[in-house]
Amino acid sequence: MIEVENLTRRYGPYVAVDDVSFRVHPGTVTGFLGPNGAGKSTCMRMITGLTPPTSGTATVLGKPYAALGNPGRHAGVLLDASAQHNGRTGREILTLGAIMMGLDRRRVDEMLELVGLTPAESRRRLRNYSLGMRQRLGIAHALLGDPQVLILDEPANGLDPAGIRWMRSLLRGFADEGGTVLLSSHLLHEIEVVADDLVVIGRGKIVANGSKAELMSAAGTTVRSTDDARLANALEVGGFQAGPLAGGGVHTDAEPRMVGQLALEQQIALVELREAGTAGLEEMFLQLTAADAREGVAA
């Protein structure tokens, strides 16, 4: 369990994180979403004790992270895959971690195999690692102490499609066995695939928080018809938001039942009618964070 209560961080007049509260429950993957500069990384640094909060609290397994005895045995953390000594090998980094945590050295080999780093790769200096290899090593280090909680900031950066699928399976399996996962990512689709719950932050404030099913349902409806323009107009007259989709059709905040009823009244034949799903989730995300987003970026 991760509990964040009224967490705030100020830098002079600038408020990076503003009264943020949410929970991450055991057995779930919680996706932490927001554009660059929204406060995600600052919030995760406060949860892990690296940045002191101005006010509010954050606990991991009922305690502040710094108060956990041998914290790596309880909560695995990956905030920056490049924050390791470039002159050390991957194996040396994991071995030092095992020594610090009081683990059997065999755990190092288990983690290297788990994340797909070969014996030859494990003997390379970190300066010769690709970003994807650094991410795999960082995930291995986070899992080294067999923790109950994982806190991961953008772990998919640098991974190829096969690596992203592997990571998704790994995190899903960890949660299904009762683990707690807080996962920050700019890859909205990957978060949508693996997450149970979503927390969306913009300008340091929580703008959406709930189960994926609830938020996707709130994301609205996708509809295609024989006269999309007339249907969109009917929806707007009925008090709903409606806008064209790039590939044709209409996205609206009306429920599918109401869309069907209006189409019937207007005698417009429907070609497709469904909950908006991922496209609607993306649209909702962009709307909620529009004031904080940079063009082409959602991190």
Side-chain angles (χ1 to χ4, degrees):
M1 170 78 82
I2 300 171
E3 295 182 276
V4 174
E5 297 289 342
N6 308 116
L7 205 59
T8 298
R9 176 64 194 188
R10 295 187 178 89
Y11 295 96
Y14 174 66
V15 183
V17 175
D18 189 0
D19 197 32
V20 164
S21 299
F22 63 88
R23 292 185 178 184
V24 184
H25 298 279
T28 65
V29 176
T30 295
F32 196 25
L33 298 168
N36 284 343
K40 299 190 311 298
S41 294
T42 301
C43 191
M44 296 179 93
R45 288 180 61 85
M46 287 192 285
I47 292 171
T48 55
L50 295 173
T51 296
T54 303
S55 61
T57 61
T59 59
V60 178
L61 299 172
K63 297 180 180 180
Y65 182 84
L68 294 171
N70 201 351
R73 300 287 295 267
H74 303 285
V77 177
L78 173 59
L79 299 185
D80 183 354
S82 297
Q84 295 284 2
H85 194 301
N86 278 332
R88 292 189 177 129
T89 68
R91 177 175 290 277
E92 286 171 346
I93 288 169
L94 291 184
T95 299
L96 286 170
I99 292 170
M100 293 289 290
M101 294 182 214
L103 301 171
D104 191 306
R105 303 286 183 88
R106 288 176 294 185
R107 183 71 176 167
V108 171
D109 292 311
E110 291 172 6
M111 291 301 97
L112 288 169
E113 182 178 355
L114 177 68
V115 302
L117 288 175
T118 67
E121 290 169 336
S122 75
R123 291 191 293 270
R124 290 188 201 172
R125 303 292 175 186
L126 198 66
R127 67 171 64 94
N128 298 318
Y129 273 29
S130 66
L131 178 56
M133 291 172 65
R134 288 173 184 251
Q135 294 286 25
R136 288 176 181 268
L137 182 66
I139 292 171
H141 198 282
L143 290 167
L144 190 62
D146 194 20
Q148 298 167 255
V149 175
L150 286 177
I151 300 171
L152 309 174
D153 192 6
E154 304 284 1
N157 276 357
L159 294 179
D160 59 19
I164 291 173
R165 176 176 290 185
W166 160 81
M167 187 194 68
R168 181 197 307 160
S169 177
L170 179 74
L171 298 182
R172 186 68 266 163
F174 182 87
D176 289 345
E177 292 179 3
T180 302
V181 181
L182 177 61
L183 172 65
S184 164
S185 177
H186 70 281
L187 299 174
L188 186 61
H189 173 67
E190 290 307 318
I191 288 284
E192 190 270 323
V193 170
V194 74
D196 304 290
D197 300 321
L198 299 173
V199 177
V200 184
I201 187 171
R203 290 192 179 273
K205 290 180 174 289
I206 299 296
V207 294
N209 183 6
S211 73
K212 180 177 67 178
E214 291 170 345
L215 294 181
M216 286 184 68
S217 175
T221 300
T222 293
V223 57
R224 289 178 172 81
S225 72
T226 54
D227 193 339
D228 290 338
R230 191 156 65 88
L231 179 58
N233 182 68
L235 286 163
E236 290 173 351
V237 170
F240 301 103
Q241 294 182 352
L245 292 170
V250 175
H251 174 262
T252 176
D253 60 352
E255 295 181 356
R257 180 184 60 80
M258 181 57 67
V259 175
Q261 182 176 326
L262 284 172
L264 178 63
E265 291 173 358
Q266 297 295 320
Q267 296 186 332
I268 301 171
L270 297 184
V271 177
E272 180 182 7
L273 178 63
R274 60 180 173 82
E275 290 185 345
T278 301
L281 186 62
E282 182 178 61
E283 183 67 22
M284 181 189 70
F285 171 81
L286 293 173
Q287 289 175 359
L288 289 170
T289 61
D292 206 38
R294 301 177 185 178
E295 185 177 355
V297 176

